[in-house]
Amino acid sequence: MQNNKSLYEFDHPVSDEQILEAAAYIIAQKQFRHGALTCPKDSEEYLRHKLALIEHEVFAVLFLDSQNRILEFKELFRGTINAASVYPREVVKEVLALNAASVILAHNHPSGVSTPSQADKLITTKLQQALNLIDVSIVDHIIIGETSYSFAEHGLI
């Protein structure tokens, strides 16, 4: 019996990170084929493969077009094991450069605890204020830990 699943072969050893990067790429390609990111679970799956194994905090943004399709994923800020400085000005510059209609904010918590901190809530509010000035919406802010936390699912966006 033949199935329609793709098979992948590697001709050299690959690391966990390389496998996860390949998985994130495959997920993104499926999203492009099937259209827009339509729910937080789609975004969480994609972001988990991008951010889960990083041992320091990374703040990233998924830039979306007007149909919520991924234009680009960028890691914008790197931090320590428990914090990353985020600058709204830099996020706005990237949004304008990519002509994004909306964004999904994301960062990891290397501790594994995905509950948002007060600082996480504050930077989300600051980014909302900055992006509102240029008519760009924040679809979600997702924290990746042992589990995922969606600000949208919890009514925080």
Side-chain angles (χ1 to χ4, degrees):
M1 182 168 130
Q2 183 177 349
N3 62 29
N4 292 328
K5 294 185 180 185
S6 299
L7 299 176
Y8 302 92
E9 293 183 26
F10 296 94
D11 58 355
H12 59 283
V14 293
S15 68
D16 292 347
E17 290 82 12
Q18 290 170 313
I19 290 171
L20 288 173
E21 183 64 32
Y25 174 80
I26 293 164
I27 291 166
Q29 292 306 308
K30 287 183 179 187
Q31 295 302 340
F32 282 125
R33 275 199 296 269
H34 294 90
L37 293 171
T38 57
C39 67
K41 293 298 177 209
D42 289 344
S43 305
E44 289 171 22
E45 180 183 5
Y46 177 82
L47 293 165
R48 175 162 302 290
H49 292 291
K50 289 288 208 180
L51 301 172
L53 292 182
I54 300 173
E55 295 179 352
H56 55 275
E57 196 162 305
V58 171
F59 189 93
V61 179
L62 268 170
F63 298 92
L64 307 173
D65 69 9
S66 61
Q67 303 300 308
N68 284 345
R69 292 178 299 217
I70 299 170
L71 295 170
E72 193 164 334
F73 169 85
K74 283 192 176 183
E75 291 181 15
L76 293 182
F77 308 102
R78 298 185 79 144
T80 62
I81 60 169
N82 64 353
S85 295
V86 176
Y87 302 97
R89 174 186 171 101
E90 296 301 316
V91 175
V92 170
K93 282 172 48 178
E94 291 292 334
V95 165
L96 292 172
L98 293 166
N99 200 28
S102 60
V103 297
I104 296 174
L105 310 174
H107 74 280
N108 63 324
H109 279 180
S111 69
V113 178
S114 59
T115 305
S117 67
Q118 199 58 34
D120 295 336
K121 293 176 185 176
L122 181 61
I123 195 58
T124 303
T125 300
K126 284 184 177 182
L127 287 166
Q128 278 181 312
Q129 292 168 346
L131 292 171
N132 281 343
L133 294 173
I134 58 170
D135 295 322
V136 172
S137 63
I138 297 175
V139 174
D140 205 347
H141 182 168
I142 297 173
I143 300 172
I144 302 296
E146 289 179 10
T147 60
S148 300
Y149 184 97
S150 163
F151 277 53
E153 283 185 333
H154 288 87
L156 299 175
I157 289 193

PDB file of all heavy atoms in Angstrom, residues 92 127-136:
ATOM      1  N   VAL A  92       9.053  47.194  15.390  1.00  0.00           N
ATOM      2  CA  VAL A  92       8.359  48.040  14.425  1.00  0.00           C
ATOM      3  C   VAL A  92       9.172  48.157  13.134  1.00  0.00           C
ATOM      4  O   VAL A  92       8.613  48.066  12.030  1.00  0.00           O
ATOM      5  CB  VAL A  92       8.061  49.437  15.029  1.00  0.00           C
ATOM      6  CG1 VAL A  92       7.567  50.408  13.963  1.00  0.00           C
ATOM      7  CG2 VAL A  92       7.040  49.314  16.158  1.00  0.00           C
ATOM      8  N   LEU A 127       4.382  46.529  23.126  1.00  0.00           N
ATOM      9  CA  LEU A 127       4.396  46.203  21.706  1.00  0.00           C
ATOM     10  C   LEU A 127       3.031  46.455  21.065  1.00  0.00           C
ATOM     11  O   LEU A 127       2.953  46.935  19.930  1.00  0.00           O
ATOM     12  CB  LEU A 127       4.858  44.768  21.489  1.00  0.00           C
ATOM     13  CG  LEU A 127       6.353  44.544  21.714  1.00  0.00           C
ATOM     14  CD1 LEU A 127       6.672  43.058  21.828  1.00  0.00           C
ATOM     15  CD2 LEU A 127       7.167  45.191  20.607  1.00  0.00           C
ATOM     16  N   GLN A 128       1.949  46.160  21.782  1.00  0.00           N
ATOM     17  CA  GLN A 128       0.610  46.447  21.266  1.00  0.00           C
ATOM     18  C   GLN A 128       0.458  47.941  21.004  1.00  0.00           C
ATOM     19  O   GLN A 128      -0.043  48.343  19.950  1.00  0.00           O
ATOM     20  CB  GLN A 128      -0.476  45.995  22.256  1.00  0.00           C
ATOM     21  CG  GLN A 128      -0.811  44.538  22.176  1.00  0.00           C
ATOM     22  CD  GLN A 128      -1.895  44.145  23.153  1.00  0.00           C
ATOM     23  OE1 GLN A 128      -1.840  44.490  24.328  1.00  0.00           O
ATOM     24  NE2 GLN A 128      -2.883  43.418  22.677  1.00  0.00           N
ATOM     25  N   GLN A 129       0.903  48.756  21.946  1.00  0.00           N
ATOM     26  CA  GLN A 129       0.795  50.200  21.787  1.00  0.00           C
ATOM     27  C   GLN A 129       1.608  50.689  20.591  1.00  0.00           C
ATOM     28  O   GLN A 129       1.132  51.494  19.782  1.00  0.00           O
ATOM     29  CB  GLN A 129       1.252  50.910  23.074  1.00  0.00           C
ATOM     30  CG  GLN A 129       0.328  50.674  24.240  1.00  0.00           C
ATOM     31  CD  GLN A 129       0.915  51.118  25.579  1.00  0.00           C
ATOM     32  OE1 GLN A 129       2.098  51.366  25.705  1.00  0.00           O
ATOM     33  NE2 GLN A 129       0.052  51.208  26.583  1.00  0.00           N
ATOM     34  N   ALA A 130       2.828  50.194  20.458  1.00  0.00           N
ATOM     35  CA  ALA A 130       3.691  50.617  19.355  1.00  0.00           C
ATOM     36  C   ALA A 130       3.124  50.179  18.009  1.00  0.00           C
ATOM     37  O   ALA A 130       3.080  50.962  17.051  1.00  0.00           O
ATOM     38  CB  ALA A 130       5.100  50.061  19.547  1.00  0.00           C
ATOM     39  N   LEU A 131       2.676  48.934  17.920  1.00  0.00           N
ATOM     40  CA  LEU A 131       2.176  48.409  16.649  1.00  0.00           C
ATOM     41  C   LEU A 131       0.809  48.980  16.278  1.00  0.00           C
ATOM     42  O   LEU A 131       0.496  49.114  15.094  1.00  0.00           O
ATOM     43  CB  LEU A 131       2.161  46.880  16.685  1.00  0.00           C
ATOM     44  CG  LEU A 131       3.553  46.237  16.727  1.00  0.00           C
ATOM     45  CD1 LEU A 131       3.446  44.745  16.993  1.00  0.00           C
ATOM     46  CD2 LEU A 131       4.338  46.511  15.462  1.00  0.00           C
ATOM     47  N   ASN A 132       0.012  49.335  17.274  1.00  0.00           N
ATOM     48  CA  ASN A 132      -1.284  49.973  16.991  1.00  0.00           C
ATOM     49  C   ASN A 132      -1.092  51.283  16.231  1.00  0.00           C
ATOM     50  O   ASN A 132      -1.926  51.652  15.401  1.00  0.00           O
ATOM     51  CB  ASN A 132      -2.062  50.239  18.278  1.00  0.00           C
ATOM     52  CG  ASN A 132      -2.758  49.001  18.814  1.00  0.00           C
ATOM     53  OD1 ASN A 132      -2.943  48.019  18.102  1.00  0.00           O
ATOM     54  ND2 ASN A 132      -3.127  49.045  20.075  1.00  0.00           N
ATOM     55  N   LEU A 133      -0.001  51.979  16.488  1.00  0.00           N
ATOM     56  CA  LEU A 133       0.271  53.252  15.818  1.00  0.00           C
ATOM     57  C   LEU A 133       0.451  53.088  14.311  1.00  0.00           C
ATOM     58  O   LEU A 133       0.238  54.033  13.552  1.00  0.00           O
ATOM     59  CB  LEU A 133       1.507  53.924  16.412  1.00  0.00           C
ATOM     60  CG  LEU A 133       1.386  54.395  17.860  1.00  0.00           C
ATOM     61  CD1 LEU A 133       2.730  54.875  18.383  1.00  0.00           C
ATOM     62  CD2 LEU A 133       0.331  55.493  17.978  1.00  0.00           C
ATOM     63  N   ILE A 134       0.841  51.902  13.876  1.00  0.00           N
ATOM     64  CA  ILE A 134       1.034  51.652  12.444  1.00  0.00           C
ATOM     65  C   ILE A 134       0.013  50.625  11.918  1.00  0.00           C
ATOM     66  O   ILE A 134       0.214  50.022  10.878  1.00  0.00           O
ATOM     67  CB  ILE A 134       2.490  51.212  12.133  1.00  0.00           C
ATOM     68  CG1 ILE A 134       2.876  49.961  12.921  1.00  0.00           C
ATOM     69  CG2 ILE A 134       3.456  52.363  12.393  1.00  0.00           C
ATOM     70  CD1 ILE A 134       4.203  49.334  12.504  1.00  0.00           C
ATOM     71  N   ASP A 135      -1.081  50.449  12.647  1.00  0.00           N
ATOM     72  CA  ASP A 135      -2.192  49.569  12.238  1.00  0.00           C
ATOM     73  C   ASP A 135      -1.777  48.118  12.005  1.00  0.00           C
ATOM     74  O   ASP A 135      -2.226  47.456  11.065  1.00  0.00           O
ATOM     75  CB  ASP A 135      -2.899  50.111  10.994  1.00  0.00           C
ATOM     76  CG  ASP A 135      -3.588  51.438  11.254  1.00  0.00           C
ATOM     77  OD1 ASP A 135      -4.137  51.591  12.364  1.00  0.00           O
ATOM     78  OD2 ASP A 135      -3.554  52.310  10.373  1.00  0.00           O
ATOM     79  N   VAL A 136      -0.907  47.618  12.863  1.00  0.00           N
ATOM     80  CA  VAL A 136      -0.492  46.214  12.814  1.00  0.00           C
ATOM     81  C   VAL A 136      -0.974  45.557  14.101  1.00  0.00           C
ATOM     82  O   VAL A 136      -0.747  46.077  15.195  1.00  0.00           O
ATOM     83  CB  VAL A 136       1.043  46.092  12.671  1.00  0.00           C
ATOM     84  CG1 VAL A 136       1.492  44.654  12.821  1.00  0.00           C
ATOM     85  CG2 VAL A 136       1.484  46.655  11.322  1.00  0.00           C
TER      86      VAL A 136
END
